[in-house]
């Protein structure tokens, strides 16, 4: 039988920011497609929980907390993964934070914290894991972008700036590393209710998002897994530098009624 283009059996994936919300859904989706998956974050209890869910799917994993804000933490994670699995084939940079407030009231510390996690954290993650991929001539790097990579959103200036930067970083690294067999892409989720944005989506803001989404609902985080599996698989061997929107039609819409 010819292997499926989407079969990830025999591959190892690392999902940084993979213990909750979108990152967790992507980690489990990759495991469902056959990959061994290391899902990590700062909290050991959350790492243990998602690792157990990966093992329940019959996949191997590694319980190794890591902090996207510390390069040495990511380097230790990389070394542990290479020691345990030999290679890392897929890396997902999914760590992200936001905070809604008027820009004139935002402190520089809040601004720096959001950009440090959302875009510098992605840079640190890729800088840690890309060298071994480049040396092998093969690898898949997948970031998590946002609607805010394309459009402005009210009172989340730091988040919007960070996600626009994620788009630019994705394109730049795709050009730089394509010759080494490493693809760099990102998934741009539409509106998915998670712990990160649940409070923001309450009330009028959430209703506006629904109104502007042709499908008329928020996404379910499980609906993002297919894009990650595609980008990680042989089906996407000639795809790099792309942001794939999974948004219920939000970015494609003009007048909805």
């Amino acid at each position: 039988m010819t292997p499926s283009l989407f079969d990830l059996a025999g591959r190892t994936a690392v999902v940084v920011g993979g213990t909750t919300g979108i990152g967790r859904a992507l980690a489990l989706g990759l495991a469902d497609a056959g990959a061994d998956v290391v899902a990590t974050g700062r909290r050991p209890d959350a790492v243990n929980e998602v690792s157990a869910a990966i093992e329940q799917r019959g996949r191997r994993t590694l319980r190794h907390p890591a902090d996207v804000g510390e390069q040495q933490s990511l380097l230790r994670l990389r070394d542990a993964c290479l020691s345990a699995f030999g290679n890392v084939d897929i890396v997902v940079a999914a760590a992200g934070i936001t905070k809604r407030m008027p820009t004139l009231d935002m402190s520089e510390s809040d601004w720096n914290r959001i950009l440090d996690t959302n875009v510098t954290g992605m840079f640190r993650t890729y800088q840690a894991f890309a060298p071994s991929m480049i040396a092998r001539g093969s690898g898949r790097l997948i970031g998590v972008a946002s609607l805010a990579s394309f459009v402005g959103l009210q009172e989340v200036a730091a988040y919007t700036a960070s996600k626009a930067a994620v788009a630019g970083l994705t394109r730049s690294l795709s050009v730089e590393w394509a010759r080494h067999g490493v693809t760099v892409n990102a998934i741009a989720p539409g509106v998915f209710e998670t712990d990160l944005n649940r409070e923001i989506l309450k009330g009028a803001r959430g209703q506006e998002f629904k109104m502007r989404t042709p499908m008329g609902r928020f996404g379910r985080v499980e609906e993002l897994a297919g894009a990650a599996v595609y980008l990680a698989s042989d089906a996407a061997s000639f795809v790099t530098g792309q942001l794939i929107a999974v948004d219920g039609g939000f970015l494609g819409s003009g007048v909805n009624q």
Side-chain angles (χ1 to χ4, degrees), residues 224-241:
L224 292 164
V229 171
Y230 166 65
L231 291 173
S233 74
D234 290 342
S237 59
F238 200 55
V239 177
T240 196

Side-chain angles (χ1 to χ4, degrees), residues 12-15 37-40 62 64 74-88 129:
T12 300
V14 176
V15 183
V37 181
V38 177
T40 188
L62 193 66
H64 195 293
L74 292 169
L75 293 175
R76 288 192 295 271
L77 171 68
R78 177 203 63 192
D79 291 346
C81 292
L82 292 176
S83 176
F85 297 98
N87 295 308
V88 173
F129 284 92

Side-chain angles (χ1 to χ4, degrees), residues 46-64:
V47 171
N48 287 334
E49 189 279 330
V50 70
S51 297
I54 291 165
E55 289 170 339
Q56 287 170 1
R57 287 161 165 77
R59 312 301 174 211
R60 293 189 300 159
T61 189
L62 193 66
R63 287 165 168 79
H64 195 293

Side-chain angles (χ1 to χ4, degrees), residues 146-148 151-157 159-160 205 209 212 250:
S146 168
L147 295 177
V151 299
L153 302 177
Q154 174 82 342
E155 293 185 340
V156 284
Y159 178 81
T160 302
R205 191 178 185 91
F209 273 128
R212 295 186 59 184
F250 184 100

Side-chain angles (χ1 to χ4, degrees), residues 195-206:
D195 290 342
L196 180 66
N197 65 7
R198 187 165 288 112
E199 290 303 314
I200 291 176
L201 293 180
K202 290 180 178 177
R205 191 178 185 91

